[in-house]
């Protein structure tokens, strides 16, 4: 990747005009944080009513215009659209001549590095991949959460300092991620963050079914301590019936889930197997106890459900992905 004959960043004005293409949950928050650092949001593109409301909330008085016009007005453009949309968007903007030489073009996809911006690079843009490792709500609290947030940074070596400087201006901490490691980096974040939401939601549903009136209040201290222990100690923080090898307790869990929450059984079994493997590898689960435990988990899988209470030998899932995010990130 080359940036030959492109303007030196030292020649650019210290304060930049900022545009946002895709007013989902991420783009307006990043633009608002750049505004706090002294930059000037000048344009945003938004398609849905929800994205227009987010833009109005976080970037009041910033006009909503088509994507090409955003690029025409801004020195720094944030491309904050879903991962699968990004390559086509970049190619289209480059083909239509919307990209200007010397323009900073930043995408926030975790999956992609800077190479996805190659069409814009050939048009003279300066490509940066800045992915905030944070979950966003689409509200002003997101700007506050960026303080101390890690960003996965990928850029041509000659733009590395510029990329890191932008992250620091947004209150974040830059973490360099090589181009070819971006998919693995993103998988790691999705595994920890997205799946955590699913696990917590399932736990709350089960507690309500068990008669607990305030499952959030019950889970808060427990999950907070578990997360803190895991971040500090890794696998040494494992506790519970799987790590102890309590096969009878796990069997009771499987029976109860099969009767009352068959939709949660497949996830329980998968996580229990993964937990058992890690507990064994780290000497927490005694081998003599592991055999009965793994037998229970294997039997639980063979006696799967179809999600409606009838046993059909499946794992209770339908292979769909219910987490669509709309047109913007």
């Amino acid at each position: 990747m080359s940036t030959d004959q492109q303007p030196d960043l030292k020649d650019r004005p210290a304060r930049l005009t900022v545009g946002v293409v895709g007013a989902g949950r991420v783009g307006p928050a990043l633009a608002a944080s750049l505004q706090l650092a002294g930059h000037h949001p000048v344009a945003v593109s938004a398609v849905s009513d929800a994205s227009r409301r987010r833009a109005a909330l976080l970037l009041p008085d910033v006009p909503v215009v088509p994507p090409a016009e955003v690029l025409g007005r801004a020195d720094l453009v944030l491309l904050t659209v879903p991962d699968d949309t990004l390559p086509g968007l970049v190619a289209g903007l480059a083909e239509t001549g919307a990209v200007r030489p010397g323009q900073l073009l930043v995408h926030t996809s975790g999956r992609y590095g800077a190479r996805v911006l190659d069409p814009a690079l050939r048009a003279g843009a300066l490509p940066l991949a800045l992915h905030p490792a944070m979950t966003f709500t689409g509200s002003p609290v997101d700007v506050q959460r960026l303080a101390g947030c890690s960003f996965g940074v990928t850029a041509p070596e000659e733009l590395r300092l510029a990329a890191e400087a932008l992250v620091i201006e947004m209150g974040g901490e830059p973490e360099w991620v090589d181009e070819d490691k971006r998919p693995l980096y993103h998988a790691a974040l999705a595994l920890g963050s997205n799946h955590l939401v699913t696990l917590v939601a399932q736990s709350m549903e089960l507690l309500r079914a068990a008669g607990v009136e305030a499952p959030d209040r019950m889970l808060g201290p427990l999950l907070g301590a578990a997360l803190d222990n895991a971040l500090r100690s890794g696998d040494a923080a494992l506790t519970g019936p799987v790590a102890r090898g309590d096969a009878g307790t796990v069997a009771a869990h499987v029976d109860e889930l099969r009767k009352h929450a068959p939709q949660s059984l497949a996830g329980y079994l998968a996580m229990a197997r993964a937990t058992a493997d890690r507990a064994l590898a780290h000497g927490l689960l005694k081998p003599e106890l592991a055999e009965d435990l793994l037998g229970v988990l294997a039997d639980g899988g063979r006696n799967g459900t179809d999600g409606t209470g009838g046993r059909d030998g499946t794992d209770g899932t339908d292979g769909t992905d219910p987490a669509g995010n709309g047109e913007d990130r």
Side-chain angles (χ1 to χ4, degrees):
M1 186 177 292
S2 171
T3 56
D4 292 344
Q5 301 182 11
Q6 293 172 337
D8 192 322
L9 286 178
K10 295 190 294 294
D11 297 331
R12 301 180 64 87
R15 301 297 90 186
L16 302 168
T17 53
V18 179
V20 179
V21 176
R25 297 179 180 182
V26 178
L30 297 187
S33 67
L34 287 168
Q35 185 172 37
L36 290 175
H39 299 289
H40 307 293
V42 294
V44 58
S45 74
V47 177
S48 68
D49 290 341
S51 62
R52 288 175 177 270
R53 287 193 296 271
R54 281 190 290 266
L57 177 65
L58 289 167
L59 300 172
D61 302 321
V62 174
V64 176
V65 300
E69 193 170 340
V70 173
L71 271 70
R73 298 186 182 195
D75 303 313
L76 165 63
V77 179
L78 302 171
L79 303 179
T80 52
V81 298
D83 293 356
D84 288 351
T85 303
L86 181 62
L89 172 66
V90 175
L93 291 172
E95 289 171 3
T96 58
V99 178
R100 293 186 285 111
Q103 190 168 47
L104 284 163
L105 214 56
V106 177
H107 80 71
T108 59
S109 166
R111 170 185 172 187
Y112 292 108
R115 197 171 296 141
V116 72
L117 298 173
D118 276 357
L121 172 65
R122 290 190 289 270
L126 308 178
L128 309 175
L130 308 179
H131 174 251
M134 177 55 62
T135 183
F136 289 79
T137 64
S139 69
V141 72
D142 296 334
V143 180
Q144 302 170 23
R145 286 178 173 174
L146 288 173
C149 167
S150 291
F151 279 66
V153 175
T154 306
E157 186 60 36
E158 57 267 39
L159 296 179
R160 179 168 179 165
L161 291 180
E164 293 176 347
L166 281 173
V167 169
I168 291 169
E169 284 197 309
M170 288 186 281
E173 296 287 341
E175 183 73 35
W176 187 259
V177 180
D178 289 340
E179 180 81 32
D180 63 346
K181 294 294 193 296
R182 291 288 290 210
L184 180 61
Y185 151 83
H186 195 224
L189 295 180
L191 182 66
S193 174
N194 302 153
H195 296 178
L196 177 63
V197 174
T198 300
L199 289 172
V200 173
Q202 287 185 339
S203 293
M204 292 177 66
E205 288 174 354
L206 295 173
L207 286 171
R208 290 191 190 98
V212 175
E213 294 184 358
D216 54 341
R217 189 167 65 237
M218 177 174 284
L219 284 174
L222 173 64
L223 299 185
L227 177 59
D228 184 64
N229 290 343
L231 292 174
R232 291 173 183 272
S233 305
D235 288 300
L238 282 172
T239 62
V242 173
R244 291 192 300 266
D246 290 344
T249 298
V250 172
H253 291 175
V254 170
D255 287 343
E256 287 300 299
L257 290 174
R258 182 174 291 118
K259 285 186 287 188
H260 300 291
Q263 71 280 3
S264 298
L265 180 56
Y268 179 94
L269 291 170
M271 291 304 299
R273 292 186 191 107
T275 300
D277 289 343
R278 299 190 75 88
L280 267 173
H282 289 80
L284 301 173
L285 175 59
K286 296 178 181 179
E288 60 269 24
L289 298 177
E291 185 175 355
D292 286 346
L293 174 67
L294 294 174
V296 167
L297 296 176
D299 288 342
R302 284 194 291 269
N303 293 327
T305 70
D306 62 2
T308 60
R311 300 182 183 182
D312 71 347
T314 69
D315 64 1
T317 65
D318 64 1
T320 62
D321 175 9
N325 289 322
E327 96 282 358
D328 302 319
R329 286 186 69 85

